[in-house]
Amino acid sequence: MTADDLIPAALLDEKKSLLPDPSPVGRRGFLAGASLATGYALAAGPVQAQTAIRTDTQGLADGMVDVRTADGRTMPAYYARPAQGSKFATVIVVQEILGVHEYIKDTCRRLAKIGYLAVAPELYFRQGNPAAAPDIPTIQRDIVARVGDAQVMSDIDATVAWAGGNVGRGETARLGITGFCWGGRIVWLYAAHNRNLRAGVAWYGVLTGPTNEFRTRHPLDVVANIDAPILGLYGAADQGIPNETVERMRTALRDAGKRSEIVLYPDMPHAFHADYRPSYREAAARDGWRRLEVWFSRNLV
């Protein structure tokens, strides 16, 4: 990692009180234990209880809600926000391939603990329930392959509209988005779709690839339309996202004069932030989360 990739020490000091402790039990109420398997997708495999983080709901309001989509359907979503107050900056949390399971819900709670309304919509709800699928190839074949980008953009728009309502208490003029794996790619696409977005953080999302009727474009194809500053967090040892495509995206953003940045962590695998999986790498995950906090603080707060 180069010096250009490091957050200034002053900013880290400023945010220090917001960061979780590295131990399984942190000062924000993080808990880890054998019971953590509850709520995780079956295809995730055995949960790594020694590293999996669970954020308590003290001081929060959270739960499942119904979001009305453009086609009149009811989409489930999980939200978390501070229990007191209103007009919170809003962050949409986009699921990894495994759907809105415990890890994604916990990410919402982590964001709520630092003052955001975080909402994770069930973006596969029309195609099936990934939590019940036996393995990732089954999810890819039977669910994800049938989820169209246009549908996802519309469903996120509906989620933003819910967040701005009286129940959501969100201030969508200060709108952010973050996503992991499958959701990392969606972050870039949504930034091109919604020109009112204020900031995004994409965790190891695919940047280019084949197209079809469901996936007509990829992040590298929409750089010109990305106005919001997006922070991309990638692993140099990711077997599914070649470093060459990460560098192409970095170059395209720079040549287009965009305010986005990309960090490529040496030797880090895919899903290095997924604390419940063997791919978890604590140092990179914590550094990425620090960067996310600073990024949203600069652009949303």
Side-chain angles (χ1 to χ4, degrees):
M1 190 180 301
T2 67
D4 289 339
D5 286 328
L6 298 177
I7 297 175
L11 285 174
L12 286 180
D13 289 341
E14 178 182 306
K15 306 295 290 183
K16 192 175 294 181
S17 64
L18 303 179
L19 300 175
D21 287 342
S23 59
V25 180
R27 58 178 163 267
R28 290 197 303 185
F30 289 175
L31 305 174
S35 63
L36 282 172
T38 303
Y40 287 90
L42 179 63
V47 173
Q48 307 295 301
Q50 69 274 19
T51 57
I53 295 169
R54 183 169 177 82
T55 307
D56 66 42
T57 57
Q58 183 177 358
L60 302 182
D62 77 309
M64 297 299 298
V65 295
D66 293 331
V67 173
R68 184 66 63 181
T69 62
D71 60 1
R73 298 183 184 232
T74 300
M75 176 174 60
Y78 176 81
Y79 84 96
R81 60 166 172 80
Q84 303 298 320
S86 62
K87 296 188 179 300
F88 305 110
T90 298
V91 178
I92 305 300
V93 179
V94 188
Q95 65 206 45
E96 53 184 357
I97 194 171
L98 297 167
V100 181
H101 64 143
E102 182 57 27
Y103 165 64
I104 296 299
K105 293 177 181 179
D106 199 89
T107 299
C108 289
R109 292 192 292 271
R110 297 176 208 183
L111 287 163
K113 286 281 187 177
I114 56 175
Y116 298 103
L117 165 64
V119 194
E122 295 264 16
L123 296 169
Y124 302 162
F125 82 100
R126 295 177 185 80
Q127 286 73 28
N129 177 15
D135 51 47
I136 289 178
T138 299
I139 297 174
Q140 291 174 322
R141 181 190 67 242
D142 296 345
I143 298 177
V144 176
R146 299 185 292 118
V147 179
D149 290 339
Q151 169 192 296
V152 172
M153 299 298 107
S154 177
D155 286 350
I156 296 177
D157 285 344
T159 306
V160 173
W162 174 88
N166 292 330
V167 176
R169 298 192 185 182
E171 186 177 340
T172 55
R174 295 185 293 142
L175 176 64
I177 187 170
T178 190
F180 305 84
C181 180
W182 181 87
R185 173 180 174 272
I186 295 300
V187 167
W188 294 105
L189 295 183
Y190 193 71
H193 167 79
N194 185 349
R195 308 300 278 269
N196 294 319
L197 187 76
R198 292 279 293 273
V201 179
W203 300 78
Y204 32 83
V206 168
L207 296 167
T208 191
T211 58
N212 55 38
E213 62 179 306
F214 297 103
R215 293 184 168 196
T216 58
R217 295 188 298 174
H218 290 286
L220 268 166
D221 302 321
V222 298
V223 167
N225 295 325
I226 296 174
D227 292 333
I230 307 298
L231 173 64
L233 301 171
Y234 289 82
D238 191 324
Q239 298 300 305
I241 305 177
N243 289 351
E244 177 268 336
T245 66
V246 177
E247 293 304 332
R248 282 173 59 195
M249 188 68 175
R250 195 201 304 266
T251 299
L253 291 165
R254 183 189 65 231
D255 291 350
K258 303 301 180 178
R259 296 174 292 158
S260 299
E261 298 178 12
I262 290 180
V263 177
L264 185 62
Y265 289 97
D267 304 319
M268 289 300 106
H270 190 75
F272 60 81
H273 185 267
D275 50 67
Y276 67 99
R277 296 171 67 180
S279 59
Y280 178 59
R281 300 293 186 270
E282 182 180 329
R286 284 174 55 77
D287 183 75
W289 190 261
R290 288 186 181 99
R291 293 172 185 273
L292 174 148
E293 290 196 1
V294 173
W295 197 259
F296 282 154
S297 180
R298 285 173 175 168
N299 294 292
L300 300 183
V301 179

